[in-house]
Structures are given as C-alpha cells and as structure tokens.
C-alpha cells in the first residue's frame, strides 16, 4: 500500500456554507476534520475541530450552521462539532470518489494556514492513479509527498527524505535532542559531512514536517 499526502481546496474556498463564516472571522480557525462519512439516505456526518473562543465559535455555529442537526463539545480554546448535514456538490463529489475507488483516508484531515485541507490517501498504485485522474475540475489538489504506507511512527519517519533521515539519526545519536543539549549543529555536521548551516536548515525542515504530523 502507498500513501499520498496533498492539499485540496474547492474553487469557493470552503466545503460547507458554515465554513465561509468561520473563515471570515480572524479570531477563530478551522483546525481539522476528524471524521467524514455518507449515510444511507445521502446525507453526511462529520466531526469538525475549531479553535478560538468557544463562545465566539458557538455564536457562529448557531447563526450560520445549516446542518440537519449537530452536537458540540466545548473545550478550553476549542470546539468539536459533530454535524449531520446535506453535503454541498463539492463534498458529494469527494464522497463519490471515496466510495467508487475505495481508498482510505488517514484521519484527521488538517486545515493549513492558507485554508487548504491536507489529506493523506492510502491505496494501491492503480487506485491512486485513478483518483488523480478523476479529481473534479472545481477541486484543486496539490501533491506534497508520497511513499510506502506504514502505520504509526514509521509512517511519519517515511515522510522525510533520505538525507533528512540521516541528519535526524545523527542529531539523536550526537545528543542534539538531549536535555540539556549535548551537541551543536557543528557536531551533527561533522557526523554527516555537511556544513553547520546546512544541518540547521535540514533540522528546521525535519521539525516542521514532524510537528505538522503529530500536533493535533
């Protein structure tokens, strides 16, 4: 099995109408979709994670949510909304693809800073090729990375390039991530035959990739 991680964004910039209201408020943020499924009657259910002041978020939901029904769980600085709704055409297209090609999605799907939705698909090579060929014109998909799928930490490690893996291993072995730190960029550079500046750039990219995967 292989995975493909990429970002999707519909022409309108949002998938369901309430998301437009969330995007218009600079004090709240769409964080993730933890679940998405179509029911037998054609309606759909999803679990949204939204960050910001819970009272502010609840005000937007109550004013703009057009769901058939919803339940919310309030936390400190976050709201989880389990919504039952009639899908828009763009969401219908995505659900059609999930049913037709029988690929899995590695949840959660994460919203990026620019409003795109980062999704990881899991399927065999033929299915992935068919999915790419059938992406609707009103949905923009940009591939970020691909590789062999492995569950858990092994899969996350596989998101790094071969050179990044080498640098990360060397940094760990040198004690760069010990507390207190036992090595510098120069020490890691000596171990892998690179300059300290290049090692610093690699470590920043490595940390950005790993944090995007592990922080909800």
């Amino acid at each position: 099995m292989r995975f493909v991680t990429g970002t999707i964004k519909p022409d309108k910039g949002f998938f369901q109408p309430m998301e437009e209201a969330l995007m218009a408020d600079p004090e709240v943020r769409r964080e993730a979709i933890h679940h998405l499924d179509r029911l037998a009657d054609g309606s759909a259910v999803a679990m949204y994670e939204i960050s910001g002041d819970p009272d502010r978020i609840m005000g937007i939901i109550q004013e703009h949510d057009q769901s058939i029904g919803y339940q919310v769980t309030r936390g400190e600085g976050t709201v989880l909304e389990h919504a039952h709704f009639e899908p828009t055409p763009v969401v219908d297209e995505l659900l059609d693809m999930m049913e037709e090609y029988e690929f899995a999605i590695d949840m959660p799907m994460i919203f990026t800073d620019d409003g795109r939705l980062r999704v990881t698909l899991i399927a065999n090579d033929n299915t992935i090729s068919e999915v790419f060929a059938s992406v609707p014109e009103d949905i923009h998909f940009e591939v970020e990375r691909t590789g062999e799928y492995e569950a858990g930490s092994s899969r996350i490690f596989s998101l790094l390039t071969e050179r990044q893996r080498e640098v990360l291993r060397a940094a760990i072995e040198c004690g760069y991530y010990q507390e207190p730190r036992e090595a510098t960029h120069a020490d890691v550079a000596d171990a892998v035959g690179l300059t300290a500046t290049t090692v610093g750039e690699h470590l920043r990219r490595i940390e950005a990739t790993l944090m995007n995967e592990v922080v909800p």
Side-chain angles (χ1 to χ4, degrees):
M1 299 292 283
R2 295 185 63 79
F3 77 88
V4 174
T5 297
T7 58
I8 59 176
K9 188 173 185 178
D11 283 341
K12 291 183 177 181
F14 56 89
F15 296 92
Q16 289 293 126
M18 189 193 69
E19 293 181 35
E20 185 177 16
L22 293 170
M23 293 167 60
D25 191 324
E27 300 300 320
V28 303
R29 171 187 166 90
R30 298 174 300 165
E31 293 289 349
I33 298 175
H34 291 271
H35 176 73
L36 176 63
D37 198 11
R38 176 186 277 153
L39 302 182
D41 63 2
S43 62
V45 290
M47 175 73 79
Y48 285 93
E49 179 183 352
I50 309 161
S51 65
D53 178 73
D55 290 335
R56 194 181 190 101
I57 296 170
M58 288 303 303
I60 295 173
I61 291 175
Q62 291 166 0
E63 182 177 356
H64 297 282
D65 198 295
Q66 301 176 16
S67 298
I68 298 170
Y70 63 85
Q71 295 179 331
V72 297
T73 301
R74 296 166 59 119
E76 185 175 345
T78 188
V79 168
L80 289 176
E81 181 194 18
H82 185 272
H84 176 204
F85 58 93
E86 293 294 344
T88 58
V90 68
V91 174
D92 248 341
E93 290 173 329
L94 291 173
L95 291 169
D96 284 344
M97 291 174 62
M98 290 172 62
E99 293 178 357
E100 180 176 357
Y101 297 107
E102 298 183 344
F103 57 83
I105 295 180
D106 192 12
M107 293 293 186
M109 299 183 281
I110 305 294
F111 286 101
T112 64
D113 289 338
D114 62 356
R116 301 177 68 87
L117 185 63
R118 180 171 287 113
V119 180
T120 296
L121 310 181
I122 306 165
N124 59 43
D125 285 331
N126 289 338
T127 298
I128 288 174
S129 298
E130 291 172 349
V131 170
F132 285 162
S134 65
V135 173
E137 293 183 356
D138 55 349
I139 298 176
H140 305 282
F141 185 89
E142 294 183 7
V143 175
E144 294 181 333
R145 60 183 75 97
T146 184
E148 291 297 321
Y149 179 78
E150 298 178 52
S153 59
S154 295
R155 184 192 69 81
I156 297 175
F157 190 63
S158 73
L159 300 179
L160 304 177
T161 67
E162 194 62 41
R163 175 62 88 177
Q164 288 172 340
R165 296 176 199 172
E166 179 185 6
V167 170
L168 180 57
R169 284 194 179 101
I172 292 171
E173 291 170 358
C174 289
Y176 182 81
Y177 287 108
Q178 292 294 319
E179 181 58 41
R181 182 163 286 168
E182 299 176 355
T184 65
H185 287 174
D187 295 323
V188 180
D190 289 342
V192 295
L194 298 172
T195 67
T197 299
T198 300
V199 164
E201 292 173 352
H202 276 306
L203 290 175
R204 284 191 291 275
R205 293 192 182 108
I206 290 166
E207 290 161 3
T209 298
L210 299 183
M211 289 305 99
N212 283 333
E213 291 294 322
V214 303
V215 177

